[in-house]
């Protein structure tokens, strides 16, 4: 007998997401992904000054803020063909890489790991055995017997208080949890440690960006971060040394803790390399420009169709016509007027809420398509693009971990594959941040002190697009400038691609598609659905954890 399960809201994400599934014999047979909040910033931007767009656009989200600022400023620079000095590129790249490090640490430990780690089991763990396990995996430190006893003490005090906050709705003791008490204690202790290390990465971003979240240092043509090694009021030797220190600490955590925990999880839950397969189409754009024209990039992009392991189309830069011209968005099942597929430059965000009806309209999320295909974006897309375009670091990491876990590249189209790919991306981001810090220092030492190319917005009419390979995937901001004002603005964000509803042809988006055939152990506690949805790191809009201070339900799971 079929059942209908509704999870509303899905927590431990950014934004408000509802998931509905139909289940027959405890197996998912149909699914609907519904973004439950209207964004509207594109409408707010109409009539504003193009040079100010980035400061508005990064308010799309309170977590992935840097990425929208970067994509927005690039859209204006693309429209006006503006060059960015090398120091400006290097400083932007440094912020991008450090933000990615912070974002991936937060996702794994604080948003996703609790789908796999049973916190209540930690109190049963033997601290001595946990210490031996930890020391067999890494020499990171903080893994003594007393360290784990202290974690248990903190946890017991927290549980005894009865004020569980965001942990109150966890599926603790679920039969799909497989880690031993000692493994649970180890990963939970790293959950706490990760809070400090993600903060270090955020602080490093703020040294350059002025604050975090919502950086303050971008201008059309570069950055407003003055560079002078001898001036106490600018980015100087002391500030760069602070960045290097924090960067090194976070890199060590990623290498010696995050990746080891990820491999442990992947090994214990090996069956999840065969669960959560998505549409099999991928897209990623080049990132980290190396020249003032943004024509050369540290890592290239690519498009994959129909589950092919060979790349369909290499994307070498952000001016690729094949990329730009084949993106459309459909509102057939979204709460907007103009349901027909439109290119973002012609797109609109005119809301028309008609109530939830999965046979008609059921989400605020549009349905982006590339050449009429649903497509997944994110770390899997980027690591596959890097692998097939010859990025040595990406290829080395994938080959090493494929060998360690006895998998091949086809296994990345899965729930566990997405988690693993995000770990590679965290390592790559750390290496990249150090690379651009060195490049910045070398360039300044060579006598180049330029960090911006001051640019006035000219009269006339211009269109541009700013691409950015953000932590969650390909981000694009499309801008239409007319008479020095914004005529139209559309952002197609990674979670728009992944959380996409059905399109005018009835084709599901990646979230929906990846839930089909998922087997549930307990229909009243659909943990398996959350594991797959969280593997995408959804960012529906700006949000934090939903907490009811009066102790009421924050998540409703209805089984009908």
């Amino acid at each position: 007998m079929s059942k209908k399960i509704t999870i509303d809201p899905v927590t431990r994400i950014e934004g408000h997401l509802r998931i509905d599934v139909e289940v027959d014999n405890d197996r998912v047979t149909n699914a609907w992904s519904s973004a439950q909040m209207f964004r509207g910033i594109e409408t707010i931007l109409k009539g504003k000054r193009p040079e100010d767009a980035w400061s508005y656009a990064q308010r799309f989200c309170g977590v992935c803020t840097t990425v929208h600022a970067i994509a927005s400023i690039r859209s204006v620079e693309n429209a006006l063909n503006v060059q960015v000095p090398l120091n400006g590129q290097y400083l932007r790249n440094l912020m991008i890489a450090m933000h990615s490090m912070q974002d991936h640490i937060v996702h794994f430990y604080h948003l996703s790991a609790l789908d796999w780690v049973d916190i209540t089991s930690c109190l049963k763990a033997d601290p001595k055995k946990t210490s031996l396990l930890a020391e067999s995996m890494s020499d990171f430190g903080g893994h003594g017997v007393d360290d784990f006893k202290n974690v248990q003490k903190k946890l017991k005090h927290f549980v005894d208080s009865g004020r569980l906050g965001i942990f109150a709705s966890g599926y603790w003791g679920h039969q799909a949890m497989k880690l031993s008490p000692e493994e649970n204690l180890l990963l939970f202790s790293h959950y706490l440690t990760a809070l400090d290390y993600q903060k270090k990465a955020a602080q490093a971003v703020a040294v350059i960006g002025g604050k975090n979240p919502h950086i303050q240092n971008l201008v059309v043509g570069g950055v407003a971060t003055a560079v002078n090694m001898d001036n106490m009021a600018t980015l100087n030797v002391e500030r760069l040394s602070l960045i290097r220190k924090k960067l090194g600490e976070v890199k060590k955590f990623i290498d010696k803790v995050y990746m080891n925990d990820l491999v442990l999880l992947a090994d214990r839950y090996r069956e999840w390399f065969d669960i959560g397969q998505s549409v099999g189409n991928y897209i990623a754009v080049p990132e980290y420009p190396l020249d003032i024209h943004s024509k050369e990039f540290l890592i290239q992009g690519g498009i994959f169709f129909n589950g092919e392991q060979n790349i369909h189309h290499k994307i070498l830069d952000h001016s690729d016509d094949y990329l730009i011209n084949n993106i459309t968005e459909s509102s057939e099942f979204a709460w907007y007027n103009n349901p027909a597929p439109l290119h973002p430059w012609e797109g609109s965000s005119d809301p028309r809420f008609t109530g939830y009806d999965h046979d008609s309209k059921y989400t605020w999320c549009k349905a982006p398509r590339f050449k009429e295909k649903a497509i997944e974006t994110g770390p899997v897309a980027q690591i596959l693009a890097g692998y097939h375009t010859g990025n040595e670091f990406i290829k080395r990491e994938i080959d090493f971990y494929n060998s360690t876990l006895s998998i091949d590249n086809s296994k990345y189209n899965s729930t566990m594959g997405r988690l693993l790919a995000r770990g590679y991306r965290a390592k790559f981001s750390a290496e990249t941040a150090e690379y651009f810090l060195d490049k910045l220092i070398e360039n300044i030492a060579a006598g180049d002190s330029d960090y911006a190319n001051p640019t006035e917005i000219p009269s006339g009419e211009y269109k541009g697009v700013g691409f950015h390979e953000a932590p969650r995937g390909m981000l694009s901001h499309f801008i239409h400038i007319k008479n020095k004002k914004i005529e139209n603005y559309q952002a197609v964000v990674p979670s728009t691609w992944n959380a996409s509803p059905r399109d005018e042809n009835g084709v599901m988006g990646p979230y929906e598609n990846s839930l089909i055939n998922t087997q549930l152990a307990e229909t009243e506690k659909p943990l398996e659905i959350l594991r797959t949805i969280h593997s995408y790191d959804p960012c529906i809009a700006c949000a934090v954890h939903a907490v009811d201070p009066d102790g009421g339900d924050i998540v409703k799971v209805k089984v009908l």
Side-chain angles (χ1 to χ4, degrees):
M1 179 179 176
S2 64
K3 300 177 182 178
K4 177 81 172 292
I5 299 176
T6 299
I7 306 175
D8 182 21
V10 175
T11 58
R12 282 186 278 120
I13 66 169
E14 289 81 34
H16 303 280
L17 176 66
R18 167 179 170 172
I19 295 292
D20 290 85
V21 297
E22 286 182 353
V23 176
D24 193 1
N25 292 323
D26 299 329
R27 186 178 295 275
V28 175
T29 58
N30 214 339
W32 296 267
S33 167
S34 176
Q36 292 283 293
M37 185 170 67
F38 175 59
R39 188 169 62 202
I41 288 183
E42 290 101 332
T43 303
I44 293 171
L45 278 166
K46 289 183 178 181
K48 298 292 191 296
R49 302 194 316 162
E51 60 267 44
D52 296 336
W54 67 273
S55 63
Y56 289 89
Q58 66 176 329
R59 267 71 183 180
F60 281 140
C61 182
V63 175
C64 45
T65 61
T66 303
V67 304
H68 288 292
I70 292 292
S72 182
I73 208 77
R74 284 177 176 174
S75 73
V76 180
E77 290 165 351
N78 175 260
L80 304 179
N81 195 26
V82 176
Q83 297 178 7
V84 178
L86 283 179
N87 289 334
Q89 297 281 38
Y90 295 160
L91 284 165
R92 289 182 183 182
N93 290 345
L94 190 51
M95 287 193 297
I96 289 168
M98 294 189 300
H99 169 77
S100 293
M101 295 163 65
Q102 187 258 353
D103 191 282
H104 292 323
I105 291 171
V106 169
H107 171 259
F108 179 69
Y109 285 101
H110 307 126
L111 303 181
S112 177
L114 297 184
D115 294 334
W116 313 88
V117 176
D118 187 353
I119 291 181
T120 59
S121 166
C122 297
L123 297 177
K124 304 173 186 176
D126 181 336
K128 184 176 181 179
K129 290 182 179 179
T130 307
S131 178
L132 290 172
L133 171 65
E135 290 176 353
S136 72
M137 293 169 57
S138 170
D139 61 356
F140 183 75
H143 289 154
V145 175
D146 288 341
D147 294 311
F148 291 112
K149 285 182 178 179
N150 287 334
V151 171
Q152 285 182 315
K153 184 178 179 181
K154 288 179 182 178
L155 179 59
K156 187 176 188 306
H157 177 75
F158 179 65
V159 171
D160 289 345
S161 73
R163 300 176 64 85
L164 300 184
I166 61 173
F167 299 103
S169 59
Y171 295 150
W172 316 126
H174 195 286
Q175 59 183 284
M177 296 285 194
K178 296 176 62 175
L179 299 183
S180 69
E182 288 73 28
E183 290 166 340
N184 282 315
L185 178 57
L186 175 63
L187 266 69
F188 178 64
S189 72
H190 291 163
Y191 173 105
L192 300 177
T193 304
L195 291 169
D196 291 329
Y197 283 89
Q198 64 85 23
K199 181 175 71 174
K200 292 176 187 290
Q203 289 171 332
V205 173
V207 171
I208 300 172
K211 65 186 288 286
N212 188 47
H214 301 128
I215 59 174
Q216 301 292 298
N217 70 322
L218 296 187
V219 293
V220 177
V223 296
T225 307
V227 179
N228 187 327
M229 296 298 102
D230 301 317
N231 191 323
M232 291 297 292
T234 65
L235 191 63
N236 53 31
V237 172
E238 185 271 333
R239 296 283 91 188
L240 292 174
S241 297
L242 176 62
I243 291 171
R244 188 178 294 280
K245 178 177 182 294
K246 291 188 178 296
L247 176 56
E249 291 171 344
V250 181
K251 183 176 183 295
K252 181 180 178 182
F253 177 82
I254 291 171
D255 289 342
K256 293 181 175 290
V257 180
Y258 179 1
M259 289 307 300
N260 287 335
D261 288 348
L262 190 51
V263 170
L264 171 66
L265 203 70
D267 183 63
R268 297 298 186 269
Y269 290 99
R270 186 172 290 273
E271 69 275 15
W272 281 87
F273 282 113
D274 296 310
I275 300 171
Q277 286 89 350
S278 184
V279 293
N281 304 318
Y282 296 100
I283 191 166
V285 290
E287 194 46 81
Y288 302 112
L290 300 171
D291 66 318
I292 64 174
H293 304 286
S294 297
K295 290 295 183 182
E296 298 179 21
F297 290 81
L298 185 66
I299 182 170
Q300 295 175 355
I303 300 167
F304 298 79
F305 284 154
N306 304 321
E308 297 172 3
Q309 289 303 303
N310 294 320
I311 198 164
H312 166 74
H313 176 75
K314 292 182 181 180
I315 305 173
L316 303 182
D317 61 50
H318 293 175
S319 298
D320 187 304
D321 287 336
Y322 184 72
L323 167 67
I324 295 170
N325 294 333
N326 284 295
I327 296 173
T328 58
E329 287 190 296
S330 166
S331 298
E332 183 70 27
F333 285 86
W335 291 309
Y336 298 98
N337 289 311
N338 302 320
L342 296 171
H343 189 277
W345 274 324
E346 281 69 52
S348 68
S349 298
D350 183 19
R352 186 170 70 90
F353 181 73
T354 55
Y356 184 94
D357 181 356
H358 58 62
D359 292 323
S360 177
K361 291 180 178 288
Y362 59 90
T363 180
W364 286 112
C365 184
K366 297 179 183 179
R369 295 294 183 262
F370 189 86
K371 291 188 73 68
E372 300 184 351
K373 294 180 182 289
I375 202 159
E376 179 180 332
T377 190
V380 173
Q382 189 181 43
I383 64 133
L384 289 178
Y387 190 92
H388 287 285
T389 56
N391 184 281
E392 293 182 3
F393 180 88
I394 294 292
K395 193 173 189 310
R396 183 174 69 247
E397 291 298 305
I398 290 179
D399 288 344
F400 173 78
Y401 286 103
N402 281 2
S403 175
T404 299
L405 291 165
S406 300
I407 60 173
D408 59 37
N409 286 2
S410 68
K411 294 299 183 181
Y412 291 99
N413 184 11
S414 66
T415 298
M416 190 57 68
R418 291 182 202 101
L419 297 182
L420 195 58
R422 194 164 265 105
Y424 302 159
R425 197 178 186 281
K427 285 195 71 173
F428 178 67
S429 298
E431 294 284 341
T432 299
E434 285 192 335
Y435 173 78
F436 282 111
L437 180 58
D438 291 339
K439 294 289 286 185
L440 175 67
I441 293 171
E442 289 172 8
N443 201 51
I444 294 170
D448 185 354
S449 60
D450 291 341
Y451 49 86
N453 175 19
T455 302
E456 295 289 332
I457 306 298
S459 298
E461 192 166 354
Y462 307 89
K463 288 183 178 180
V465 56
F467 287 105
H468 170 42
E469 189 64 23
R472 290 163 183 82
M474 183 183 75
L475 171 64
S476 53
H477 284 220
F478 290 80
I479 192 169
H480 179 187
I481 302 169
K482 187 175 182 180
N483 297 326
K484 301 187 178 184
K485 300 292 184 181
I486 297 173
E487 181 75 8
N488 195 14
Y489 200 100
Q490 293 291 312
V492 188
V493 309
S495 290
T496 314
W497 290 94
N498 293 335
S500 155
R502 288 152 172 80
D503 59 23
E504 69 280 4
N505 297 314
V507 176
M508 291 179 171
Y511 287 8
E512 297 174 339
N513 191 280
S514 62
L515 293 175
I516 303 302
N517 290 322
T518 300
Q519 187 74 38
L520 304 182
E522 304 176 45
T523 53
E524 287 75 18
K525 297 179 179 180
L527 175 63
E528 296 86 351
I529 292 173
L530 296 179
R531 283 176 172 174
T532 292
I533 294 299
H534 283 149
S535 73
Y536 288 95
D537 193 8
C539 186
I540 307 305
C542 310
V544 294
H545 292 297
V547 179
D548 184 341
D550 297 322
D553 291 338
I554 61 172
V555 181
K556 294 188 182 298
V557 177
K558 295 188 293 185
V559 182
L560 302 175

